[in-house]
Amino acid sequence: MIIGGEFYEDPTWQTEVASDAFQGMHFLNGGRACLTVIADYLLARGIRNVLLPEYLCPTILDVLERCGMGWEFYAVQPDFSVNLVDLAQKAASAKAIYFIHYFGFLQPNPVRAWMKDQQKKGALIIEDDAQMGLLLQPTGDFVFNSLRKFVPYDGGYLRTTQDVSASLNKFPARPNQRLPLIRAYRRGLRDYLLEKQGKYAALTALYQQAEALYEAEPVVIGDPGEQWQIEHQDWAGIRQKRRANYEYLMEQIRGISEITPLFPELQAENMPLGLPVFVKSALRDALFERLGQAGIGLILHWEEILTDIRMQRNEDAIQMAKQILTLPIDQRVTHKQMDYLVYQLAQGIIK
């Protein structure tokens, strides 16, 4: 039984009518592309540093570094909420502040209110919705997502109150060499999983080639074909299925004392990326490996924190990264698969 992992081609959620949720946004190649445009805009206005949460994907630092920007970290608490005391101490002269809605859950109201107050004082707020998909009530001057985390298509949307036309003009459309590879992978993965055709080793090699190109060739402008597919997805249905799966799995794992869910309750209307839990660090890696061998594609958000030299001063973030495990609840997952996941979790903990 295969659960989670990368998305494959699936017409189940396709609609005939385009969603109107994306109106007024810029369609770009993904989250990195959105951040590239934001960084260019900031640099053009003499803003060379940004305040970042200490718990983040190191690829964010890669993008900022490539663009020529610097940063300073502020603390994030173990429940993934912003440490406003630490942030306030560092934000006195900050012109750009970046915050993340982790795993598709909004930062608490006091955090968002504080961000709005900083906007009034002249700071530009960057709101990272890469793990949220579609945010219904944005706060930031720049709000962006990364939808390949939710559907089998590449692209991200940038919504902004600023005029970024000059920055966008610096990145004309160019051939995207990754797309033929990742599309072939997604077709092949569907055939492999559902039709038992093809070889897994060949698929893995294809995926690795596609990801290498994504990192090496930073394409900014999004592909029209991917945009069409994204905008013709049943996003309301996807949100509903993810929420239902989250609640079902949440009930099934309540009795496993070695696992601590980070968000026991869904927020109104949020679309969860996965079900994040803390597992004791002595147990986490063995559990991750065991479930992977059982065909369950878990995610560690983000294991790169443990080895990235730029983040080694962030001891709290390192401790969080040693314990985090994200369980799959996406729109493909059935109750039977989640029951199997819970069984494997319990067996892995017992052993």
Side-chain angles (χ1 to χ4, degrees):
M1 186 177 292
I2 304 296
I3 306 172
E6 289 295 317
F7 286 96
Y8 50 80
E9 283 194 350
D10 183 1
T12 302
W13 302 97
Q14 193 172 94
T15 62
E16 294 183 2
V17 179
S19 170
D20 60 3
F22 303 97
Q23 292 182 4
M25 304 184 198
H26 302 283
F27 179 71
L28 303 176
N29 191 49
R32 296 187 191 190
C34 293
L35 187 53
T36 298
V37 171
I38 294 169
D40 182 85
Y41 179 90
L42 296 177
L43 288 166
R45 280 144 189 82
I47 301 174
R48 301 190 173 278
N49 290 279
V50 58
L51 275 175
L52 297 174
E54 64 182 7
Y55 200 95
L56 48 63
C57 179
T59 58
I60 293 171
L61 306 183
D62 296 339
V63 174
L64 294 176
E65 243 177 22
R66 184 182 296 128
C67 293
M69 288 203 69
W71 59 81
E72 181 182 1
F73 291 116
Y74 63 83
V76 174
Q77 302 184 108
D79 64 356
F80 286 87
S81 64
V82 169
N83 185 325
L84 282 179
V85 174
D86 185 62
L87 178 54
Q89 291 174 348
K90 296 173 179 176
S93 60
K95 296 181 179 180
I97 303 171
Y98 187 115
F99 76 105
I100 299 172
H101 295 304
Y102 296 98
F103 308 104
F105 287 81
L106 287 168
Q107 285 286 333
N109 288 335
V111 172
R112 287 178 283 151
W114 188 91
M115 295 293 175
K116 289 181 179 179
D117 185 59
Q118 294 303 299
Q119 281 178 314
K120 294 176 183 177
K121 296 177 180 178
L124 291 172
I125 304 300
I126 305 165
E127 190 168 7
D128 184 334
D129 291 348
Q131 296 186 338
M132 175 161 274
L134 298 173
L135 178 61
L136 302 180
Q137 297 181 335
T139 298
D141 298 283
F142 302 95
V143 184
F144 71 94
N145 57 29
S146 176
L147 292 180
R148 72 178 186 138
K149 297 176 176 62
F150 294 87
V151 291
Y153 307 105
D154 280 17
Y157 287 81
L158 172 62
R159 172 167 32 193
T160 179
T161 59
Q162 310 299 304
D163 181 1
V164 295
S165 56
S167 294
L168 288 171
N169 288 337
K170 294 180 182 180
F171 304 103
R174 53 177 287 192
N176 189 330
Q177 298 185 58
R178 163 187 158 84
L179 281 181
L181 297 177
I182 197 64
R183 286 168 176 167
Y185 168 79
R186 287 164 177 160
R187 289 192 298 270
L189 183 61
R190 176 182 176 81
D191 292 342
Y192 177 79
L193 294 177
L194 303 184
E195 307 295 336
K196 309 303 180 184
Q197 298 177 2
K199 295 184 178 180
Y200 184 74
L203 281 173
T204 300
L206 192 59
Y207 177 76
Q208 291 173 344
Q209 292 176 46
E211 287 300 284
L213 285 172
Y214 186 69
E215 296 178 8
E217 298 185 357
V219 176
V220 171
I221 304 302
D223 177 81
E226 300 293 286
Q227 181 179 8
W228 191 95
Q229 293 287 356
I230 288 171
E231 295 184 4
H232 286 78
Q233 297 293 298
D234 178 9
W235 287 104
I238 290 172
R239 175 183 282 109
Q240 182 179 6
K241 183 64 185 298
R242 283 174 171 266
R243 289 173 64 84
N245 281 349
Y246 191 100
E247 290 180 328
Y248 181 86
L249 185 55
M250 187 70 238
E251 284 300 314
Q252 305 312 306
I253 65 173
R254 286 190 190 278
I256 305 178
S257 58
E258 292 83 356
I259 293 176
T260 304
L262 298 178
F263 302 98
E265 302 293 336
L266 287 169
Q267 298 170 337
E269 299 300 323
N270 78 302
M271 182 167 67
L273 176 71
L275 200 165
V277 299
F278 275 153
V279 183
K280 292 180 180 179
S281 56
L283 177 63
R284 198 279 304 270
D285 289 349
L287 193 59
F288 177 79
E289 183 175 350
R290 173 188 169 86
L291 268 65
Q293 292 172 349
I296 301 169
L298 307 179
I299 303 176
L300 306 179
H301 288 103
W302 292 274
E303 61 180 335
E304 297 91 345
I305 291 174
L306 303 177
T307 56
D308 194 302
I309 193 170
R310 298 167 296 186
M311 307 189 71
Q312 294 310 296
R313 293 183 181 180
N314 305 333
E315 185 58 35
D316 289 342
I318 290 172
Q319 291 305 313
M320 291 161 69
K322 287 180 178 179
Q323 301 176 70
I324 195 73
L325 200 60
T326 306
L327 309 179
I329 51 84
D330 65 72
Q331 60 268 26
R332 301 166 295 176
V333 181
T334 66
H335 284 193
K336 180 179 180 180
Q337 289 175 320
M338 287 185 282
D339 292 341
Y340 174 74
L341 163 60
V342 174
Y343 172 79
Q344 293 294 340
L345 274 174
Q347 291 298 307
I349 289 170
I350 290 172
K351 294 183 178 180

